[in-house]
Amino acid sequence: MSDYQLTAVGHIESPYKQKFAIPRQPRLVPQAKAKLVFCADFNREEFVRGLDEFSHIWLLFRFHETADKGYSAMVRPPRLGGNDRKGVFATRATFRPNAIGMSAVKLEGIEYRNGQLSLLLSGIDLLDGTPILDIKPYLPYSDAMHDASAGFADVRPQTQMSVEFSETAEQFITAQNQYPELKDFIVNVLKQDPRPAYKKQKDGEQSYGMTLYNFNIRWQVNGEHNYVSHIEKL
Ligand code: SAH
């Protein structure tokens, strides 16, 4: 066995401040905007010359939040309701050898401002602070396989979840001029039904909280219905 040392080329500035409620794959919530900020050694436009010709890129990253928890041979994919187990290499689970993640995301732009090179991204599924190990252009002619099948994860996860806001939550959102997509962002995050599988099987109202940007959002779930009761600035 060989050991290798990896160096991050940058890190992610993301609205997702904790793991809970992050969608399980990229592009499920297009309003999730982020910045990839390059480290000093890679903070030069030469490194990204030509990248603006691509609409999407692959990010290889470290699951840094959970990396020290190690891995297991078998995991319980949320897609299977948390009941069935699959081999870790048959899943996209975070608890894996080397804790490397990969996401194909939309490249919205390249920014070079005040001496700092950044990529502007959307549709991300990454936690704030995630270290980026590598960046590659997405190549549709090779990466998109139209005859591919994907067993237990064959179709995009579907839910019938509805999302409603209290009057105070609605007013709070309207006042946040710098985040014009905040409402759609919250709606689409909640429509993914971020609850752990064992909670979904429970009856009655359940209460949850999450942080997006610097907003603390509280909501209740009853059946297929989400009710956002309260939002406040942290
Ligand atoms: N698209 C990736 C991620 C799949 S796992 C891949 O296929 O490799 C998706 C989960 O990763 C999300 O629900 C989120 O909770 C978790 N996640 C995102 N960034 C993380 C990080 N830096 N450390 C640990 N977990 C992270």
Side-chain angles (χ1 to χ4, degrees), residues 34-91:
K35 226 182 217 195
L36 191 169
V37 181
F38 284 88
C39 297
D41 284 354
F42 305 93
N43 189 26
R44 290 210 320 268
E45 278 172 301
E46 286 95 321
F47 280 105
V48 296
R49 193 161 298 160
L51 192 62
D52 57 347
E53 294 170 38
F54 295 88
S55 63
H56 293 78
I57 57 175
W58 283 106
L59 299 178
L60 297 171
F61 59 92
R62 174 114 168 130
F63 287 116
H64 74 303
E65 183 94 340
T66 46
D68 61 355
K69 298 211 169 77
Y71 61 92
S72 355
M74 302 273 289
V75 299
R76 295 173 194 273
R79 294 286 289 229
L80 298 173
N83 301 320
D84 209 352
R85 298 203 303 160
K86 297 281 179 189
V88 67
F89 295 136
T91 76

Side-chain angles (χ1 to χ4, degrees), residues 162-170 173 183 186-187 190 208 210 216-221 225-231:
S162 64
V163 184
E164 249 189 86
F165 293 79
S166 70
E167 211 169 300
T168 51
E170 194 92 49
I173 290 172
K183 187 172 177 185
I186 296 170
V187 166
L190 296 189
Y208 296 92
M210 66 174 170
N216 186 21
I217 297 151
R218 295 218 61 85
W219 77 100
Q220 285 82 47
V221 189
H225 185 67
N226 289 292
Y227 180 72
V228 179
S229 52
H230 195 73
I231 308 182

Side-chain angles (χ1 to χ4, degrees), residues 18-26 61-67 92-94 96 100-104 125-131:
Q18 80 271 295
K19 277 187 60 197
F20 177 58
I22 301 182
R24 304 224 162 81
Q25 285 302 336
F61 59 92
R62 174 114 168 130
F63 287 116
H64 74 303
E65 183 94 340
T66 46
R92 304 289 281 263
T94 55
R96 54 199 314 120
I100 290 177
M102 54 188 273
S103 295
D125 59 344
L126 305 175
L127 187 64
D128 193 35
T130 298

